[in-house]
Amino acid sequence: MSRRSNVIFLFSDQHRRDAAGCYGHASVKTPNIDRLAREGTRFTRAYAASPICHPCRSAVMTGRHVHRCCAVRDGKLRLDMNLPVLGELFRRSGYVTGAFGKVHVPGEDAEHDLGFDERALRIYTPMDNDYQHAIGPDNFWKYCSYLPQYRPAGNPPQRNGLNPTNEPIDLAEEMIFDRMVAERSVEFLERHRGGPFFLWVGLEKPHNEMYAPRRFHDLYDPDRMVLPGNIWQGRDGLPDSIYDNPTFPILTREAYTDHELRCCMAAYYASVSYMDEQLGRVLDAVDRLGLGDDTLVVYSSDHGENLFNHQMVQKHCFFETAVGVPLIVRKPGLAAPGSVRGQLTNLLDLLPTFCEACDIPIPAGVDGQSLIPAIAHDRPVREAVFSEYYSAGIPERMIRTPRWKYVHSDGDRHQLYDLEADPDENHNRIDDPALATTAVELDERVRRDWAMPDTYIMRRPRGDARPGQRGAKRN
């Protein structure tokens, strides 16, 4: 009888799709991600289930759209704990399961382990053996200064997470989060090399704060960074919901000099390269332990990073830079090394893909589709993908078809982009009379199976909005 496949899921945070050598970037150094792409299958049109961390991660964990896997509890979106999740599916099938580093699925706690036998080094989800406990609050603050619950004595100031001075982190490498996660993951592989195992490797970079060891900052000269052509595009034609979230303010010309903006870009790429090295530690262990032939290895990220495209930073919208993600799958014999697939895919598809690859029944009711037929036979996956966002105070949902992207912002201005003619999404065509029929059809499709959950931010009162119209706000 053939051995059951192991699974290693390498999941980073805020890595935009194009910021890797294998995706065509001329400057970013990602030798390990590139190596995985040479040996596996690279998807060019993969999308996050939501352009923000924990809703997308909850969707990955369940294979369901955000509105079907998250519920509002304690004033916030929380995972519906009644649904089957990845760790449980594999543990019940006889796998040893481990999840180290960032999982960030609200609802996980000491009682609810999401099916993982071994857990450690959480960040944002406090537990007794989380990252802060491992290195102490003073060192934690050197790594991440924007979480007030971890502020050490003396109230040190919060850093600028974009790092406009392009300075390195003031923390020993062996204490930096992703390094510790990679080493703990390698220990898991060494102990369970006989398999079968499911391993979630939760890398956190290049999520801000964008500080890495000096040797990674030295890879990038800020003066050689090229600012996006649409950095000062402006807000005309876009919904207020993109720009009036006070937690993530819009970039202004007064905020930074051009040199500082280039320093921020260099710092982001330094964080990408740092994360890539830690990913490589895990891949090297797979080779050293002789696990490659029996292991499905998948790399992706929970969402992208605007990095000044459209006058924005971070995510929180449906531009390609925010919602498009890298996705690479490697399993010897499944497809020719270096294969490229252009099918529309969603991170919802990972759960059924993992299950099919390991002969585990796919739970009823999942929204994802297994990618195994696409990888092995280049078959289509679906006609469209969807993504959802609720943190701007209104429900928003995107539909992406081979040509069009349409965003329904409930009670606000909608968006329509022709990605064939306008791949940088510089022109919202929602008011184009020639595309009125297209807008109506896409709006009907995006709302057809969408049960909007209550949002956990107080919804601003807005009027009803039809495709092509801005909702009239009420006083």
Side-chain angles (χ1 to χ4, degrees):
M1 186 176 70
S2 61
R3 296 182 61 180
R4 304 178 73 184
S5 291
N6 306 307
V7 176
I8 299 175
F9 180 34
L10 300 149
F11 201 29
S12 69
D13 195 317
Q14 209 155 307
H15 185 194
R16 56 188 275 168
R17 184 195 296 141
D18 63 0
C22 60
Y23 280 94
H25 201 288
S27 302
V28 180
K29 297 172 175 60
T30 52
N32 295 292
I33 293 173
D34 298 348
R35 163 190 162 196
L36 192 65
R38 288 194 304 270
E39 298 170 347
T41 300
R42 176 172 59 89
F43 284 87
T44 60
R45 293 194 293 181
Y47 290 87
S50 180
I52 190 171
C53 297
H54 76 75
C56 180
R57 291 165 176 269
S58 297
V60 170
M61 194 68 73
T62 61
R64 297 168 184 254
H65 293 300
V66 174
H67 75 270
R68 298 191 61 236
C69 71
C70 289
V72 179
R73 297 202 307 274
D74 302 324
K76 294 185 178 182
L77 282 175
R78 301 279 181 175
L79 178 68
D80 183 348
M81 300 305 293
N82 295 314
L83 297 174
V85 293
L86 267 173
E88 291 178 351
L89 292 171
F90 278 81
R91 184 161 68 185
R92 291 172 184 172
S93 298
Y95 279 66
V96 177
T97 57
F100 303 104
K102 186 169 185 179
V103 173
H104 198 187
V105 173
E108 182 191 23
D109 52 28
E111 179 183 356
H112 302 99
D113 63 9
L114 302 179
F116 293 110
D117 300 315
E118 300 183 26
R119 300 183 291 163
L121 296 174
R122 290 293 183 268
I123 190 169
Y124 311 122
T125 310
M127 295 193 303
D128 289 341
N129 61 348
D130 65 8
Y131 179 53
Q132 186 264 348
H133 282 87
I135 66 171
D138 291 329
N139 287 319
F140 183 93
W141 197 256
K142 292 179 180 180
Y143 177 78
C144 177
S145 72
Y146 63 85
L147 295 176
Q149 65 267 37
Y150 297 115
R151 185 185 297 270
N155 294 320
Q158 178 179 329
R159 293 181 301 179
N160 187 320
L162 299 179
N163 196 357
T165 57
N166 194 30
E167 63 185 271
I169 192 169
D170 179 23
L171 190 61
E173 286 199 34
E174 60 269 19
M175 301 182 76
I176 302 177
F177 185 77
D178 284 357
R179 168 78 171 266
M180 295 179 68
V181 170
E183 291 178 346
R184 192 65 180 268
S185 298
V186 170
E187 292 174 4
F188 177 91
L189 294 175
E190 291 171 340
R191 285 186 285 107
H192 301 294
R193 60 189 299 179
F197 59 78
F198 181 98
L199 173 61
W200 177 302
V201 183
L203 303 168
E204 205 244 351
K205 293 301 181 187
H207 189 285
N208 61 298
E209 299 169 350
M210 298 171 186
Y211 295 77
R214 180 177 298 278
R215 59 193 176 91
F216 295 96
H217 287 273
D218 288 346
L219 295 173
Y220 300 99
D221 180 357
D223 291 335
R224 298 178 68 86
M225 298 294 104
V226 179
L227 297 178
N230 57 9
I231 185 172
W232 304 118
Q233 181 183 12
R235 313 181 188 186
D236 291 344
L238 296 175
D240 291 342
S241 57
I242 288 184
Y243 291 109
D244 62 3
N245 184 342
T247 307
F248 303 98
I250 191 67
L251 180 70
T252 65
R253 291 183 184 272
E254 296 75 27
Y256 301 98
T257 67
D258 282 359
H259 177 71
E260 288 174 327
L261 293 173
R262 293 187 176 96
C263 283
C264 295
M265 295 183 71
Y268 177 76
Y269 296 143
S271 297
V272 170
S273 293
Y274 167 76
M275 178 274 294
D276 177 85
E277 181 179 277
Q278 312 321 309
L279 179 150
R281 293 178 186 273
V282 180
L283 294 182
D284 289 345
V286 171
D287 291 344
R288 174 171 56 83
L289 298 171
L291 297 171
D293 290 342
D294 298 313
T295 303
L296 177 75
V297 179
V298 175
Y299 171 70
S300 191
S301 196
D302 58 357
H303 50 72
E305 159 64 56
N306 285 299
L307 202 62
F308 310 130
N309 286 88
H310 306 283
Q311 208 172 337
M312 299 183 70
V313 294
Q314 297 203 41
K315 49 275 187 180
H316 310 286
C317 66
F318 295 104
F319 290 127
E320 289 289 289
T321 47
V323 76
V325 293
L327 176 58
I328 303 170
V329 181
R330 185 187 76 181
K331 179 68 167 69
L334 195 57
S339 296
V340 179
R341 298 289 183 263
Q343 289 90 335
L344 290 168
T345 59
N346 192 297
L347 295 186
L348 300 170
D349 300 327
L350 293 178
L351 182 147
T353 301
F354 295 151
C355 287
E356 182 171 350
C358 300
D359 295 322
I360 294 174
I362 298 172
V366 301
D367 298 307
Q369 301 289 325
S370 172
L371 300 178
I372 299 300
I375 298 169
H377 307 293
D378 202 12
R379 293 176 183 167
V381 179
R382 56 169 60 80
E383 295 181 352
V385 295
F386 298 86
S387 186
E388 301 171 29
Y389 183 66
Y390 303 101
S391 296
I394 63 171
E396 295 184 289
R397 198 182 199 207
M398 175 201 85
I399 180 172
R400 165 70 154 99
T401 70
R403 178 176 178 180
W404 303 103
K405 178 184 289 184
Y406 179 86
V407 179
H408 177 104
S409 298
D410 197 52
D412 207 330
R413 189 179 188 82
H414 308 316
Q415 299 170 75
L416 175 64
Y417 300 100
D418 182 349
L419 294 184
E420 291 183 0
D422 179 26
D424 293 329
E425 301 166 292
N426 290 326
H427 306 287
N428 182 9
R429 303 284 298 280
I430 196 65
D431 293 323
D432 188 337
L435 299 178
T437 299
T438 299
V440 170
E441 291 175 348
L442 290 170
D443 191 73
E444 290 175 351
R445 290 181 67 182
V446 83
R447 292 188 294 114
R448 188 172 299 155
D449 64 345
W450 183 25
M452 304 178 195
D454 292 332
T455 57
Y456 59 87
I457 294 177
M458 181 65 69
R459 291 182 60 179
R460 296 180 295 277
R462 298 171 186 267
D464 184 35
R466 300 287 188 266
Q469 298 178 345
R470 182 186 295 275
K473 299 179 184 179
R474 299 188 295 269
N475 294 323

